[in-house]
Amino acid sequence: MIDWLIRLFFDNYPYSLKKLFKLRSWLPLLLLPLSTAGPVQSEQLPIENLLQRSYLDDYYSNVVYGYRIVTETEKYGARYTGNSLRCSNCHLNAGRKEYGLPLNVAGMYPKWRSKNGRRNGIGLRIRECFVYSMNGIMPPEDAPEVMAVAAYISYLSHGETIGEAPAGRGVPTLPDTGYDPNPASGKAIYDQKCAACHGPNGQGIAHMPPLWGMNAYNEGAGMAGVHRAAGFIWANMPLGQERTLSHQQALDVAAYINMQIRPGDPREYKLLKLFETISWFFDR
Amino acid sequence: MALNLLADISPWRPSHSPGLNIRSELFAALIGAILVIPQGITFAYLAGLPPEYGIYTAIFVTLFASLFGTSSMLGGPNTAVAILIGIAVAPFAGRGSPLYIEYVLLLSFMVGLIQLTIWLLRGGRFFMYLSPAAITGITTGVGFILILSSLDGIFGLSSSDTHFFYHKLYFLFDDAENLVNPFSFTVGAITVVAGMIARHYITRYAILIAITVGYLCGLILMSFHSQVEMELELLGHLPINPLPVSHPPMGTDYLITGLAMLPDALIIALIGLAQSMVIVKQLRNDTDQPIQPDKEVFAQGIANLMAPFFSSFAGSGSFNRTQVNQSMHAETPLTGIVSAGIVLVLILLLGPVLTYLPMPAISGTLMLVGIGMIKTDEIKRLFNWRGELAVFTTTLFCIVFLGLQTGLVVALILSVLLFVISASSLELIVEREAVSVKIRVEGHLFYASIDQLSQILKKHRRENVILDLSVVTYLDLSATEAIAKELAKRNNESTFFAVKLSSERLQNQFEARMAGQPVQFIQYNHTY
């Protein structure tokens, strides 16, 4: 009896009372005539439709937030980023392009990665992007930014098979050309084909990302690996004329880009990040 | 009336405070600005918003509250209000998401509207009913909540949502080696210890010293281990925009949520005003500032109403910053106005350094604020009176076990109850004299208290009675009627009944009621 009373007052009472006031219990009923999209719908709305809505529920507002972080990182993800790149600079078309590092990979996580020698959830994967590719600081597990990007990734993964790599995942692995990457010939190709958008010193121009310098990805990023970068360049660059470079040309350009100066790997240069940030601030 | 309202909404000008000492005002403003930055960041964290919103609140809510206020009270982000915002909005959207931010802006706008309504109804004076015991209970409860929520950051837990605080403590001890992040704990513990030591020597700057020590400790750790391997949470970049224009969301969808948040908005508005009014009351007692409480209510209301237009959340007067302000001899609202500007300049300068501020250091200061809110000497004083002690313990119990909102409502009801009970209890002194019984009444005679007197009168029905009401200042209709009824039942031949009243007005009122009854009056100026 006493046990029952305690449970009534301390477990159920605050809940049942709260439920009366909380919107969750009756919001779906009220929203039925107002919105046509509920979470029960099997067809997924394209993100462009979601963007035009004046009101979104918790899930879709988070998806849209994730989309905005991916496409306007400098505005929506600024808290944890340290350079002027956007997620969508590498995850092309906001993570929806095959072989352009697409983001429809939610079904593949958790998985073991050699990078940190741990089994990674999608959350840790996203957080590491902030540290290396965005040259920022590691957000906490429950940071709103991480949850939003995770929601966007699951949204994009709609329809993919869980546990299998989606078609066009990552970047293509280039076959062995038999020659070492040659940065000198890479520079010639860079000046001819890349410099128009990325600048002669790799500093980028408006809406085009920098490739090196203190505003680019750091040495711990996936792109800092020559073979990964070469696959990306071959499959996606120059923008609009993809797959026009030969495999060897892509390797050369990747080697040239990745031998330039860029922020250090935060795992190796510890306090350096602070000085980088401060000097970057005063140089601005 | 209209002229009164107009006088209320006119902003402060230096001519309103003749004894303006610019130098002490500016120095107080600087100190206030330095103190509010860590508080703004922590309170934004409590409210579930990105840290820059706390900074905006520290700038704009402080600015508007001081611009329209009359006192040196510093407004801005407030602990209880921030916690309540977090609790109110959390069910509707994920913390920190754009939808969440929109709801917070909507809630702040509603809070401002409610406070302006209270101002229009001249409701400021009703906050004087909140008993000091209830306020001590609320601050102690909030301090307790702060300490518990700071544990998340200090131990590096991801924000855990447990029903009761002891669940969290149990998890913490049960699974310490998996849950506790040793690096977070080092930074957090050093911050708290540094703050506790600093409090003994320089109380005023204890928080500032604590957060600096925590920051340096974080830097030392970061020079040995990378942030990635420590998983030490850092503050991150603050994308500060000097003019962060925004607006509260409007539309039918938001209206529904707005209606659902209305009880919370009401509680936040009341709690914000209650705290501000308590501060105003203190300032009015302690200083010679030309304070108008109604104008302060307006200032709070307009500050919260304007908050959502500048990416800020609702705030209220701040106890700790006003105290520091007072100790620096700041006497006018100029301090708050200047302090808002200094916060903006400081944050633009400090931005890149603050990026690497460890969150456990911020949680540590949160714990220090919480510890500071539990004032043991005030609680000890409450033990002298049972009624106040009961209000205090009930409030504290409700806040800790049933949640802050429930606790606040209970505190409000209990304060009023305590007031009613103390007002309705009569002090009856019965003295037997040579030929009569003298009944001396102390207290208010009204419908709730008359029963006590009737019982005594009934007991002495067969005796001569002198009813001494000379210290009774309030006598209502039902009380006089009850006495008249009692008179009618008396044995009028053998006994007499005399009444002594305190003023002519009461006597006239009494005589009119007692027409035809055998009652004699002892003159009110007659010395007995």
Side-chain angles (χ1 to χ4, degrees):
Chain A
M1 177 68 189
I2 291 168
D3 188 31
W4 178 81
L5 266 178
I6 290 173
R7 203 171 299 153
L8 179 76
F9 273 91
F10 290 98
D11 270 338
N12 296 338
Y13 160 72
Y15 276 87
S16 54
L17 197 70
K18 263 181 195 166
K19 260 186 193 155
L20 279 179
F21 294 106
K22 294 310 173 195
L23 193 65
R24 261 196 199 151
S25 49
W26 46 274
L27 181 68
L29 277 177
L30 282 167
L31 283 183
L32 269 180
L34 291 167
S35 72
T36 49
V40 279
Q41 231 174 17
S42 62
E43 265 310 298
Q44 203 159 16
L45 282 164
I47 195 89
E48 282 73 17
N49 285 17
L50 293 175
L51 288 175
Q52 281 160 7
R53 291 271 181 92
S54 66
Y55 178 86
L56 292 161
D57 63 9
D58 185 35
Y59 177 74
Y60 281 110
S61 77
N62 214 18
V63 168
V64 168
Y65 184 29
Y67 173 80
R68 290 198 194 284
I69 291 172
V70 168
T71 54
E72 294 166 76
T73 318
E74 74 283 0
K75 186 172 173 198
Y76 291 95
R79 189 171 172 195
Y80 298 113
T81 60
N83 58 25
S84 59
L85 294 181
R86 293 170 168 178
C87 306
S88 58
N89 288 147
C90 296
H91 303 285
L92 297 174
N93 193 14
R96 291 173 295 183
K97 186 171 186 287
E98 280 195 3
Y99 295 115
L101 297 166
L103 290 174
N104 55 351
V105 291
M108 303 202 50
Y109 288 88
K111 68 166 188 178
W112 186 88
R113 292 172 69 234
S114 59
K115 183 163 190 164
N116 47 23
R118 285 163 67 182
R119 183 170 287 124
N120 289 218
I122 190 76
L124 183 59
R125 184 69 196 83
I126 296 165
R127 291 159 73 203
E128 293 208 329
C129 266
F130 277 100
V131 180
Y132 303 115
S133 301
M134 307 307 299
N135 187 32
I137 59 177
M138 194 182 226
E141 277 171 82
D142 52 353
E145 286 88 346
V146 174
M147 297 215 222
V149 174
Y152 179 61
I153 290 175
S154 347
Y155 167 86
L156 287 184
S157 310
H158 185 88
E160 302 293 344
T161 313
I162 303 286
E164 274 179 32
R169 172 174 168 265
V171 293
T173 310
L174 299 186
D176 191 358
T177 55
Y179 297 96
D180 279 343
N182 181 352
S185 73
K187 177 174 168 42
I189 300 161
Y190 181 86
D191 289 344
Q192 187 196 344
K193 301 212 165 168
C194 317
C197 291
H198 293 294
N201 297 317
Q203 77 276 28
I205 57 170
H207 304 301
M208 291 296 164
L211 298 183
W212 63 84
M214 296 319 263
N215 247 339
Y217 54 89
N218 68 34
E219 283 167 5
M223 271 297 171
V226 170
H227 286 273
R228 173 78 61 90
F232 180 81
I233 291 167
W234 180 77
N236 302 294
M237 291 287 142
L239 213 59
Q241 307 162 37
E242 54 213 47
R243 306 196 183 209
T244 52
L245 298 175
S246 70
H247 292 163
Q248 183 60 41
Q249 281 175 322
L251 273 170
D252 293 348
V253 172
Y256 173 67
I257 291 170
N258 280 337
M259 72 180 286
Q260 308 293 335
I261 194 161
R262 61 179 69 259
D265 188 331
R267 286 168 299 187
E268 289 165 27
Y269 307 95
K270 277 137 195 148
L271 211 53
L272 190 72
K273 306 291 304 171
L274 174 65
F275 299 121
E276 274 175 9
T277 310
I278 294 172
S279 61
W280 168 81
F281 178 77
F282 284 109
D283 288 347
R284 203 163 45 158
Chain B
M1 179 67 186
L3 213 67
N4 265 344
L5 291 187
L6 237 100
D8 268 8
I9 61 175
S10 69
W12 177 85
R13 286 181 295 282
S15 59
H16 289 178
S17 314
L20 179 67
N21 181 348
I22 298 271
R23 183 175 287 188
S24 60
E25 298 284 325
L26 294 188
F27 186 64
L30 177 68
I31 298 299
I34 292 173
L35 284 180
V36 79
I37 290 176
Q39 290 188 12
I41 292 168
T42 18
F43 296 164
Y45 176 77
L46 287 181
L49 292 166
E52 63 266 24
Y53 284 80
I55 302 292
Y56 294 144
T57 307
I59 296 171
F60 291 100
V61 174
T62 311
L63 176 68
F64 287 117
S66 288
L67 201 59
F68 291 99
T70 53
S71 67
S72 64
M73 176 174 75
L74 280 178
N78 176 282
T79 330
V81 172
I83 293 178
L84 282 173
I85 290 176
I87 296 173
V89 186
F92 303 117
R95 284 165 71 90
S97 64
L99 188 68
Y100 185 93
I101 294 170
E102 284 187 336
Y103 285 152
V104 171
L105 296 185
L106 180 64
L107 183 68
S108 304
F109 188 73
M110 283 159 54
V111 168
L113 275 184
I114 293 169
Q115 289 180 335
L116 283 186
T117 316
I118 293 173
W119 164 71
L120 275 176
L121 298 173
R122 290 287 185 248
R125 54 179 180 235
F126 291 111
F127 291 101
M128 306 297 171
Y129 284 104
L130 205 57
S131 81
I135 291 170
T136 314
I138 292 169
T139 47
T140 311
V142 169
F144 197 70
I145 291 176
L146 275 184
I147 292 173
L148 286 171
S149 64
S150 72
L151 291 181
D152 287 351
I154 289 176
F155 288 99
L157 317 174
S158 55
S159 56
S160 51
D161 192 19
T162 47
H163 290 185
F164 293 134
F165 63 92
Y166 49 78
H167 281 190
K168 188 184 280 181
L169 298 178
Y170 173 74
F171 290 144
L172 211 53
F173 289 120
D174 188 48
D175 202 11
E177 72 261 45
N178 288 329
L179 283 178
V180 176
N181 180 335
F183 302 103
S184 297
F185 179 69
T186 312
V187 174
I190 287 179
T191 308
V192 173
V193 170
M196 296 299 275
I197 295 171
R199 179 167 287 167
H200 269 281
Y201 297 101
I202 350 167
T203 320
R204 237 178 263 161
Y205 307 107
I207 292 211
L208 212 58
I209 291 168
I211 206 160
T212 315
V213 170
Y215 184 79
L216 292 177
C217 176
L219 281 193
I220 291 168
L221 282 181
M222 271 187 276
S223 57
F224 289 106
H225 306 274
S226 77
Q227 189 230 343
V228 184
E229 63 184 277
M230 289 193 288
E231 298 217 3
L232 184 66
E233 193 179 342
L234 300 179
L235 177 63
H237 303 270
L238 297 178
I240 292 288
N241 174 0
L243 204 67
V245 184
S246 64
H247 64 88
M250 296 293 162
T252 43
D253 297 304
Y254 294 100
L255 190 72
I256 295 167
T257 320
L259 279 178
M261 289 193 298
L262 195 60
D264 294 308
L266 200 65
I267 289 177
I268 293 171
L270 291 179
I271 275 309
L273 272 189
Q275 294 189 58
S276 308
M277 287 297 109
V278 169
I279 297 171
V280 165
K281 205 163 88 177
Q282 270 176 7
L283 281 179
R284 249 158 89 98
N285 291 342
D286 298 351
T287 67
D288 300 332
Q289 297 176 28
I291 299 175
Q292 302 158 18
D294 269 329
K295 214 175 155 172
E296 293 289 343
V297 175
F298 173 76
Q300 291 297 320
I302 203 76
N304 289 338
L305 191 74
M306 296 304 282
F309 294 96
F310 294 94
S311 306
S312 310
F313 55 89
S316 85
S318 156
F319 280 108
N320 53 43
R321 274 176 286 130
T322 307
Q323 255 167 25
V324 173
N325 209 8
Q326 208 180 330
S327 66
M328 305 265 172
H329 306 292
E331 296 269 305
T332 72
L334 183 68
T335 317
I337 298 168
V338 176
S339 154
I342 297 178
V343 171
L344 185 62
V345 175
L346 274 182
I347 202 75
L348 287 175
L349 285 178
L350 284 179
V353 178
L354 283 181
T355 304
Y356 293 89
L357 180 63
M359 288 306 268
I362 291 183
S363 297
T365 60
L366 204 63
M367 181 176 262
L368 288 172
V369 172
I371 294 171
M373 285 179 96
I374 301 175
K375 298 197 174 71
T376 38
D377 47 337
E378 248 173 54
I379 297 169
K380 264 183 213 150
R381 211 184 311 147
L382 290 174
F383 279 85
N384 295 332
W385 195 44
R386 252 186 335 167
E388 301 247 316
L389 188 65
V391 171
F392 168 77
T393 41
T394 319
T395 307
L396 185 59
F397 177 84
C398 290
I399 289 179
V400 171
F401 287 96
L402 303 178
L404 190 53
Q405 287 129 311
T406 321
L408 292 176
V409 174
V410 166
L412 218 63
I413 294 172
L414 280 184
S415 315
V416 174
L417 265 186
L418 190 70
F419 172 74
V420 169
I421 289 171
S422 67
S424 64
S425 71
L426 288 178
E427 192 85 0
L428 294 170
I429 302 155
V430 184
E431 282 172 41
R432 202 164 282 279
E433 293 177 347
V435 289
S436 61
V437 173
K438 187 183 149 202
I439 304 171
R440 191 179 152 82
V441 182
E442 285 171 19
H444 295 288
L445 266 184
F446 67 112
Y447 54 90
S449 59
I450 189 65
D451 186 53
Q452 276 173 282
L453 180 64
S454 301
Q455 293 302 325
I456 294 282
L457 286 179
K458 207 183 270 175
K459 222 159 77 185
H460 301 287
R461 210 173 256 177
R462 301 186 181 286
E463 288 161 282
N464 299 329
V465 169
I466 297 171
L467 187 59
D468 183 357
L469 303 181
S470 55
V471 289
V472 173
T473 49
Y474 180 76
L475 191 64
D476 83 341
L477 189 66
S478 54
T480 43
E481 268 172 1
I483 294 174
K485 223 180 266 172
E486 182 58 33
L487 276 178
K489 285 180 189 162
R490 288 178 66 87
N491 181 355
N492 294 324
E493 277 83 51
S494 56
T495 61
F496 73 88
F497 187 87
V499 175
K500 186 183 175 191
L501 286 158
S502 61
S503 71
E504 197 166 2
R505 186 181 59 80
L506 280 181
Q507 183 162 338
N508 292 341
Q509 185 190 332
F510 204 77
E511 265 176 292
R513 279 278 128 204
M514 298 291 156
Q517 298 285 4
V519 60
Q520 296 162 31
F521 289 100
I522 300 166
Q523 274 306 307
Y524 50 87
N525 52 3
H526 177 80
T527 44
Y528 204 62

